[in-house]
Tab-separated table of all heavy atoms in Angstrom:
chain	number	residue	atom	x	y	z
A	137	ALA	N	-1.299	-73.356	-20.566
A	137	ALA	CA	-0.472	-72.172	-20.666
A	137	ALA	C	0.161	-71.773	-19.292
A	137	ALA	O	1.244	-71.175	-19.232
A	137	ALA	CB	-1.219	-70.906	-21.244
A	138	VAL	N	-0.528	-72.228	-18.233
A	138	VAL	CA	-0.032	-71.852	-16.905
A	138	VAL	C	0.477	-73.060	-16.066
A	138	VAL	O	0.704	-72.905	-14.900
A	138	VAL	CB	-1.103	-71.101	-16.026
A	138	VAL	CG1	-1.450	-69.804	-16.771
A	138	VAL	CG2	-2.356	-71.971	-15.852
A	139	ARG	N	0.612	-74.192	-16.721
A	139	ARG	CA	0.949	-75.434	-16.017
A	139	ARG	C	2.193	-75.202	-15.131
A	139	ARG	O	2.339	-75.872	-14.059
A	139	ARG	CB	1.002	-76.762	-16.830
A	139	ARG	CG	2.134	-76.699	-17.839
A	139	ARG	CD	2.417	-78.055	-18.351
A	139	ARG	NE	1.293	-78.585	-19.239
A	139	ARG	CZ	0.915	-79.843	-19.249
A	139	ARG	NH1	1.544	-80.724	-18.521
A	139	ARG	NH2	-0.002	-80.299	-20.087
A	140	LYS	N	3.161	-74.463	-15.624
A	140	LYS	CA	4.452	-74.289	-14.876
A	140	LYS	C	4.507	-72.988	-13.977
A	140	LYS	O	5.603	-72.634	-13.508
A	140	LYS	CB	5.608	-74.212	-15.911
A	140	LYS	CG	5.792	-75.462	-16.743
A	140	LYS	CD	6.181	-76.711	-15.856
A	140	LYS	CE	6.480	-77.965	-16.725
A	140	LYS	NZ	6.192	-79.163	-15.928
A	141	VAL	N	3.333	-72.276	-13.876
A	141	VAL	CA	3.334	-71.092	-13.139
A	141	VAL	C	2.775	-71.468	-11.656
A	141	VAL	O	1.907	-72.176	-11.405
A	141	VAL	CB	2.321	-70.117	-13.826
A	141	VAL	CG1	2.151	-68.823	-12.958
A	141	VAL	CG2	2.722	-69.790	-15.205
A	142	GLU	N	3.531	-70.834	-10.754
A	142	GLU	CA	3.130	-71.059	-9.301
A	142	GLU	C	1.700	-70.490	-9.118
A	142	GLU	O	1.408	-69.441	-9.591
A	142	GLU	CB	4.136	-70.328	-8.336
A	142	GLU	CG	5.418	-71.074	-8.282
A	142	GLU	CD	6.417	-70.363	-7.368
A	142	GLU	OE1	6.045	-69.485	-6.560
A	142	GLU	OE2	7.634	-70.660	-7.497
A	143	ALA	N	0.977	-71.247	-8.292
A	143	ALA	CA	-0.470	-70.897	-8.174
A	143	ALA	C	-0.775	-69.496	-7.678
A	143	ALA	O	-1.664	-68.783	-8.045
A	143	ALA	CB	-1.137	-71.869	-7.204
A	144	LYS	N	0.216	-68.964	-6.843
A	144	LYS	CA	-0.032	-67.609	-6.175
A	144	LYS	C	0.063	-66.574	-7.245
A	144	LYS	O	-0.484	-65.480	-7.066
A	144	LYS	CB	0.969	-67.349	-5.050
A	144	LYS	CG	2.468	-67.344	-5.572
A	144	LYS	CD	3.385	-67.182	-4.438
A	144	LYS	CE	4.827	-67.439	-4.763
A	144	LYS	NZ	5.679	-67.922	-3.735
A	145	PHE	N	0.637	-66.819	-8.432
A	145	PHE	CA	0.754	-65.832	-9.475
A	145	PHE	C	-0.430	-65.895	-10.500
A	145	PHE	O	-0.464	-65.158	-11.443
A	145	PHE	CB	2.064	-65.927	-10.202
A	145	PHE	CG	3.206	-65.726	-9.335
A	145	PHE	CD1	4.282	-66.639	-9.236
A	145	PHE	CD2	3.390	-64.552	-8.608
A	145	PHE	CE1	5.383	-66.448	-8.382
A	145	PHE	CE2	4.429	-64.340	-7.804
A	145	PHE	CZ	5.493	-65.290	-7.738
A	146	LEU	N	-1.294	-66.857	-10.298
A	146	LEU	CA	-2.482	-67.006	-11.253
A	146	LEU	C	-3.534	-65.925	-11.015
A	146	LEU	O	-3.708	-65.418	-9.873
A	146	LEU	CB	-3.086	-68.402	-11.129
A	146	LEU	CG	-2.181	-69.602	-11.426
A	146	LEU	CD1	-2.973	-70.856	-11.237
A	146	LEU	CD2	-1.646	-69.562	-12.892
A	147	SER	N	-4.213	-65.578	-12.049
A	147	SER	CA	-5.407	-64.679	-11.870
A	147	SER	C	-6.520	-65.354	-11.082
A	147	SER	O	-6.484	-66.580	-10.908
A	147	SER	CB	-6.003	-64.321	-13.299
A	147	SER	OG	-6.598	-65.432	-13.791
A	148	GLY	N	-7.405	-64.561	-10.562
A	148	GLY	CA	-8.565	-65.079	-9.743
A	148	GLY	C	-9.328	-66.200	-10.493
A	148	GLY	O	-9.572	-67.236	-9.928
A	149	GLY	N	-9.642	-65.932	-11.767
A	149	GLY	CA	-10.370	-66.912	-12.606
A	149	GLY	C	-9.566	-68.239	-12.765
A	149	GLY	O	-10.081	-69.296	-12.709
A	150	MET	N	-8.234	-68.088	-13.013
A	150	MET	CA	-7.402	-69.266	-13.284
A	150	MET	C	-7.265	-70.114	-11.935
A	150	MET	O	-7.298	-71.346	-11.923
A	150	MET	CB	-5.931	-68.834	-13.615
A	150	MET	CG	-5.785	-68.586	-15.132
A	150	MET	SD	-5.911	-70.097	-16.028
A	150	MET	CE	-5.618	-69.493	-17.723
A	151	LYS	N	-7.130	-69.307	-10.788
A	151	LYS	CA	-7.123	-70.059	-9.496
A	151	LYS	C	-8.370	-70.925	-9.318
A	151	LYS	O	-8.317	-71.995	-8.925
A	151	LYS	CB	-6.996	-69.072	-8.329
A	151	LYS	CG	-5.606	-68.501	-8.152
A	151	LYS	CD	-5.545	-67.439	-7.102
A	151	LYS	CE	-4.113	-66.865	-6.924
A	151	LYS	NZ	-4.127	-65.588	-6.274
A	152	ARG	N	-9.596	-70.336	-9.599
A	152	ARG	CA	-10.784	-71.090	-9.466
A	152	ARG	C	-10.801	-72.267	-10.387
A	152	ARG	O	-11.250	-73.350	-9.964
A	152	ARG	CB	-11.963	-70.142	-9.779
A	152	ARG	CG	-12.288	-69.056	-8.809
A	152	ARG	CD	-12.940	-69.456	-7.550
A	152	ARG	NE	-12.615	-68.508	-6.541
A	152	ARG	CZ	-13.316	-67.339	-6.308
A	152	ARG	NH1	-14.433	-67.107	-7.043
A	152	ARG	NH2	-12.946	-66.466	-5.444
A	153	ARG	N	-10.312	-72.114	-11.608
A	153	ARG	CA	-10.316	-73.182	-12.574
A	153	ARG	C	-9.399	-74.286	-11.948
A	153	ARG	O	-9.741	-75.505	-12.135
A	153	ARG	CB	-9.780	-72.748	-13.920
A	153	ARG	CG	-10.970	-72.338	-14.807
A	153	ARG	CD	-10.720	-71.411	-15.886
A	153	ARG	NE	-9.703	-71.663	-16.841
A	153	ARG	CZ	-9.556	-70.815	-17.848
A	153	ARG	NH1	-10.272	-69.775	-17.977
A	153	ARG	NH2	-8.534	-71.057	-18.714
A	154	LEU	N	-8.231	-73.898	-11.441
A	154	LEU	CA	-7.295	-74.888	-10.925
A	154	LEU	C	-7.948	-75.687	-9.837
A	154	LEU	O	-7.859	-76.866	-9.709
A	154	LEU	CB	-6.062	-74.177	-10.423
A	154	LEU	CG	-5.028	-75.034	-9.702
A	154	LEU	CD1	-4.492	-76.187	-10.585
A	154	LEU	CD2	-3.843	-74.270	-9.132
A	155	VAL	N	-8.618	-74.901	-8.864
A	155	VAL	CA	-9.164	-75.579	-7.684
A	155	VAL	C	-10.303	-76.559	-8.121
A	155	VAL	O	-10.430	-77.699	-7.585
A	155	VAL	CB	-9.635	-74.551	-6.664
A	155	VAL	CG1	-10.383	-75.283	-5.514
A	155	VAL	CG2	-8.450	-73.754	-6.161
A	156	ILE	N	-11.070	-76.125	-9.122
A	156	ILE	CA	-12.218	-76.986	-9.603
A	156	ILE	C	-11.614	-78.263	-10.282
A	156	ILE	O	-12.072	-79.312	-10.027
A	156	ILE	CB	-13.089	-76.311	-10.587
A	156	ILE	CG1	-13.857	-75.131	-9.938
A	156	ILE	CG2	-14.115	-77.169	-11.232
A	156	ILE	CD1	-14.663	-74.137	-10.813
A	157	SER	N	-10.566	-78.027	-10.980
A	157	SER	CA	-9.893	-79.327	-11.662
A	157	SER	C	-9.304	-80.194	-10.565
A	157	SER	O	-9.454	-81.406	-10.664
A	157	SER	CB	-8.861	-78.844	-12.669
A	157	SER	OG	-7.725	-78.234	-12.004
A	158	MET	N	-8.755	-79.559	-9.458
A	158	MET	CA	-8.220	-80.449	-8.370
A	158	MET	C	-9.351	-81.258	-7.718
A	158	MET	O	-9.248	-82.369	-7.327
A	158	MET	CB	-7.491	-79.540	-7.423
A	158	MET	CG	-6.116	-79.129	-7.880
A	158	MET	SD	-5.519	-77.662	-6.923
A	158	MET	CE	-5.087	-78.463	-5.424
A	159	SER	N	-10.478	-80.572	-7.667
A	159	SER	CA	-11.569	-81.186	-6.893
A	159	SER	C	-12.180	-82.394	-7.698
A	159	SER	O	-12.987	-83.188	-7.124
A	159	SER	CB	-12.723	-80.150	-6.610
A	159	SER	OG	-13.447	-79.942	-7.876
A	160	LEU	N	-11.860	-82.522	-8.936
A	160	LEU	CA	-12.426	-83.588	-9.797
A	160	LEU	C	-11.495	-84.878	-9.826
A	160	LEU	O	-11.930	-85.796	-10.415
A	160	LEU	CB	-12.713	-83.090	-11.242
A	160	LEU	CG	-13.728	-81.935	-11.341
A	160	LEU	CD1	-13.869	-81.399	-12.773
A	160	LEU	CD2	-15.147	-82.421	-10.839
A	161	LEU	N	-10.280	-84.680	-9.322
A	161	LEU	CA	-9.353	-85.759	-9.375
A	161	LEU	C	-9.833	-87.029	-8.781
A	161	LEU	O	-9.449	-88.140	-9.222
A	161	LEU	CB	-7.957	-85.336	-8.792
A	161	LEU	CG	-7.016	-84.597	-9.694
A	161	LEU	CD1	-5.916	-84.015	-8.811
A	161	LEU	CD2	-6.509	-85.464	-10.732
A	162	GLY	N	-10.586	-86.936	-7.742
A	162	GLY	CA	-11.129	-88.110	-7.115
A	162	GLY	C	-12.337	-88.681	-7.672
A	162	GLY	O	-12.977	-89.576	-7.077
A	163	GLU	N	-12.830	-88.150	-8.762
A	163	GLU	CA	-13.985	-88.544	-9.490
A	163	GLU	C	-15.191	-88.518	-8.578
A	163	GLU	O	-15.819	-89.494	-8.360
A	163	GLU	CB	-13.722	-89.871	-10.182
A	163	GLU	CG	-12.696	-89.788	-11.235
A	163	GLU	CD	-12.440	-91.000	-12.021
A	163	GLU	OE1	-12.958	-92.156	-11.679
A	163	GLU	OE2	-11.774	-90.948	-12.963
A	164	PRO	N	-15.461	-87.278	-8.018
A	164	PRO	CA	-16.606	-87.182	-7.067
A	164	PRO	C	-17.998	-87.385	-7.661
A	164	PRO	O	-18.132	-87.259	-8.961
A	164	PRO	CB	-16.362	-85.778	-6.496
A	164	PRO	CG	-15.752	-84.991	-7.653
A	164	PRO	CD	-14.895	-85.989	-8.362
A	165	GLU	N	-18.943	-87.602	-6.875
A	165	GLU	CA	-20.258	-87.730	-7.311
A	165	GLU	C	-21.044	-86.472	-6.717
A	165	GLU	O	-22.090	-86.094	-7.336
A	165	GLU	CB	-20.993	-88.991	-6.848
A	165	GLU	CG	-20.441	-90.205	-7.616
A	165	GLU	CD	-20.966	-91.490	-7.025
A	165	GLU	OE1	-21.838	-91.509	-6.189
A	165	GLU	OE2	-20.359	-92.524	-7.370
A	166	ILE	N	-20.515	-85.896	-5.633
A	166	ILE	CA	-21.125	-84.702	-5.011
A	166	ILE	C	-20.050	-83.646	-5.019
A	166	ILE	O	-18.970	-83.870	-4.442
A	166	ILE	CB	-21.582	-85.012	-3.588
A	166	ILE	CG1	-22.625	-86.124	-3.624
A	166	ILE	CG2	-22.126	-83.770	-2.933
A	166	ILE	CD1	-23.017	-86.690	-2.331
A	167	LEU	N	-20.300	-82.484	-5.666
A	167	LEU	CA	-19.372	-81.377	-5.598
A	167	LEU	C	-20.072	-80.185	-4.897
A	167	LEU	O	-21.130	-79.673	-5.274
A	167	LEU	CB	-19.030	-80.996	-7.068
A	167	LEU	CG	-17.959	-80.000	-7.245
A	167	LEU	CD1	-16.634	-80.417	-6.660
A	167	LEU	CD2	-17.734	-79.560	-8.639
A	168	LEU	N	-19.397	-79.726	-3.780
A	168	LEU	CA	-19.804	-78.647	-3.053
A	168	LEU	C	-18.876	-77.402	-3.408
A	168	LEU	O	-17.723	-77.435	-3.374
A	168	LEU	CB	-19.619	-78.868	-1.519
A	168	LEU	CG	-20.205	-80.115	-0.994
A	168	LEU	CD1	-19.863	-80.381	0.475
A	168	LEU	CD2	-21.777	-80.180	-1.252
A	169	MET	N	-19.546	-76.272	-3.869
A	169	MET	CA	-18.842	-75.143	-4.339
A	169	MET	C	-19.217	-73.930	-3.465
A	169	MET	O	-20.392	-73.442	-3.516
A	169	MET	CB	-19.064	-74.823	-5.785
A	169	MET	CG	-18.881	-76.037	-6.664
A	169	MET	SD	-19.102	-75.656	-8.425
A	169	MET	CE	-17.500	-75.237	-8.916
A	170	ASP	N	-18.297	-73.421	-2.690
A	170	ASP	CA	-18.527	-72.300	-1.817
A	170	ASP	C	-18.173	-70.971	-2.380
A	170	ASP	O	-17.003	-70.678	-2.562
A	170	ASP	CB	-17.783	-72.463	-0.377
A	170	ASP	CG	-18.397	-71.664	0.687
A	170	ASP	OD1	-19.407	-71.004	0.463
A	170	ASP	OD2	-17.823	-71.737	1.751
A	171	GLU	N	-19.222	-70.207	-2.911
A	171	GLU	CA	-19.064	-68.931	-3.572
A	171	GLU	C	-17.983	-68.977	-4.641
A	171	GLU	O	-17.066	-68.146	-4.577
A	171	GLU	CB	-18.771	-67.852	-2.531
A	171	GLU	CG	-19.860	-67.786	-1.475
A	171	GLU	CD	-19.986	-66.352	-0.766
A	171	GLU	OE1	-19.322	-65.398	-1.294
A	171	GLU	OE2	-20.828	-66.246	0.050
A	172	PRO	N	-18.061	-69.871	-5.643
A	172	PRO	CA	-17.133	-69.974	-6.730
A	172	PRO	C	-17.046	-68.807	-7.594
A	172	PRO	O	-16.119	-68.503	-8.286
A	172	PRO	CB	-17.445	-71.201	-7.464
A	172	PRO	CG	-18.927	-71.372	-7.255
A	172	PRO	CD	-19.185	-70.861	-5.830
A	173	LEU	N	-18.206	-68.007	-7.648
A	173	LEU	CA	-18.317	-66.838	-8.503
A	173	LEU	C	-17.951	-65.499	-7.862
A	173	LEU	O	-18.100	-64.435	-8.490
A	173	LEU	CB	-19.776	-66.818	-9.192
A	173	LEU	CG	-20.170	-68.146	-9.825
A	173	LEU	CD1	-21.645	-68.050	-10.221
A	173	LEU	CD2	-19.336	-68.524	-11.017
A	174	ALA	N	-17.592	-65.523	-6.574
A	174	ALA	CA	-17.396	-64.308	-5.872
A	174	ALA	C	-16.165	-63.552	-6.369
A	174	ALA	O	-15.174	-64.262	-6.620
A	174	ALA	CB	-17.330	-64.612	-4.326
A	175	ALA	N	-16.244	-62.282	-6.336
A	175	ALA	CA	-15.022	-61.406	-6.600
A	175	ALA	C	-14.331	-61.694	-7.900
A	175	ALA	O	-13.172	-61.705	-7.974
A	175	ALA	CB	-14.065	-61.523	-5.460
A	176	LEU	N	-15.230	-61.959	-8.951
A	176	LEU	CA	-14.614	-62.031	-10.230
A	176	LEU	C	-15.179	-61.166	-11.217
A	176	LEU	O	-16.302	-60.683	-11.065
A	176	LEU	CB	-14.811	-63.603	-10.791
A	176	LEU	CG	-14.167	-64.740	-9.881
A	176	LEU	CD1	-14.739	-66.081	-10.395
A	176	LEU	CD2	-12.653	-64.711	-9.952
A	177	ASP	N	-14.498	-60.944	-12.332
A	177	ASP	CA	-15.158	-60.087	-13.391
A	177	ASP	C	-16.171	-60.784	-14.156
A	177	ASP	O	-16.252	-62.013	-14.200
A	177	ASP	CB	-13.977	-59.546	-14.286
A	177	ASP	CG	-13.351	-60.712	-15.084
A	177	ASP	OD1	-12.379	-61.287	-14.455
A	177	ASP	OD2	-13.743	-61.078	-16.154
A	178	PRO	N	-17.115	-60.060	-14.809
A	178	PRO	CA	-18.279	-60.559	-15.494
A	178	PRO	C	-17.849	-61.688	-16.448
A	178	PRO	O	-18.523	-62.738	-16.671
A	178	PRO	CB	-18.904	-59.434	-16.144
A	178	PRO	CG	-18.565	-58.283	-15.379
A	178	PRO	CD	-17.191	-58.520	-14.778
A	179	GLN	N	-16.762	-61.476	-17.249
A	179	GLN	CA	-16.272	-62.446	-18.215
A	179	GLN	C	-15.998	-63.803	-17.631
A	179	GLN	O	-16.276	-64.858	-18.070
A	179	GLN	CB	-15.194	-61.894	-18.996
A	179	GLN	CG	-14.977	-62.457	-20.407
A	179	GLN	CD	-13.729	-61.900	-21.074
A	179	GLN	OE1	-13.118	-60.936	-20.678
A	179	GLN	NE2	-13.364	-62.481	-22.206
A	180	THR	N	-15.154	-63.661	-16.499
A	180	THR	CA	-14.767	-64.873	-15.820
A	180	THR	C	-15.898	-65.566	-15.207
A	180	THR	O	-16.028	-66.873	-15.208
A	180	THR	CB	-13.685	-64.564	-14.730
A	180	THR	OG1	-12.642	-63.796	-15.309
A	180	THR	CG2	-13.148	-65.757	-14.115
A	181	ILE	N	-16.865	-64.814	-14.704
A	181	ILE	CA	-18.100	-65.497	-14.117
A	181	ILE	C	-18.869	-66.318	-15.131
A	181	ILE	O	-19.232	-67.435	-14.874
A	181	ILE	CB	-19.045	-64.379	-13.495
A	181	ILE	CG1	-18.408	-63.868	-12.186
A	181	ILE	CG2	-20.426	-64.910	-13.276
A	181	ILE	CD1	-19.112	-62.693	-11.654
A	182	GLN	N	-18.973	-65.682	-16.346
A	182	GLN	CA	-19.653	-66.357	-17.438
A	182	GLN	C	-18.957	-67.676	-17.840
A	182	GLN	O	-19.484	-68.658	-18.058
A	182	GLN	CB	-19.743	-65.436	-18.641
A	182	GLN	CG	-20.968	-65.661	-19.471
A	182	GLN	CD	-21.100	-64.522	-20.585
A	182	GLN	OE1	-20.258	-63.557	-20.559
A	182	GLN	NE2	-22.064	-64.654	-21.365
A	183	MET	N	-17.594	-67.528	-17.892
A	183	MET	CA	-16.780	-68.749	-18.208
A	183	MET	C	-17.022	-69.876	-17.180
A	183	MET	O	-17.220	-71.042	-17.495
A	183	MET	CB	-15.328	-68.329	-18.270
A	183	MET	CG	-14.346	-69.556	-18.560
A	183	MET	SD	-12.780	-69.099	-18.050
A	183	MET	CE	-12.894	-69.027	-16.238
A	184	LEU	N	-17.092	-69.496	-15.864
A	184	LEU	CA	-17.251	-70.480	-14.852
A	184	LEU	C	-18.624	-71.091	-14.842
A	184	LEU	O	-18.826	-72.257	-14.583
A	184	LEU	CB	-16.916	-69.858	-13.426
A	184	LEU	CG	-15.455	-69.795	-13.131
A	184	LEU	CD1	-15.192	-69.026	-11.783
A	184	LEU	CD2	-14.872	-71.166	-12.924
Side-chain angles (χ1 to χ4, degrees):
V138 297
R139 67 161 69 214
K140 299 293 183 209
V141 178
E142 288 180 18
K144 62 181 169 211
F145 297 125
L146 298 178
S147 68
M150 277 291 187
K151 283 176 180 159
R152 294 283 154 87
R153 266 156 54 178
L154 173 61
V155 176
I156 293 170
S157 66
M158 288 162 71
S159 76
L160 296 175
L161 274 167
E163 301 182 346
E165 288 171 13
I166 298 167
L167 186 60
L168 308 173
M169 308 182 91
D170 200 0
E171 302 207 3
L173 308 172
L176 297 171
D177 60 275
Q179 202 182 349
T180 306
I181 287 174
Q182 212 171 357
M183 175 200 70
L184 280 172

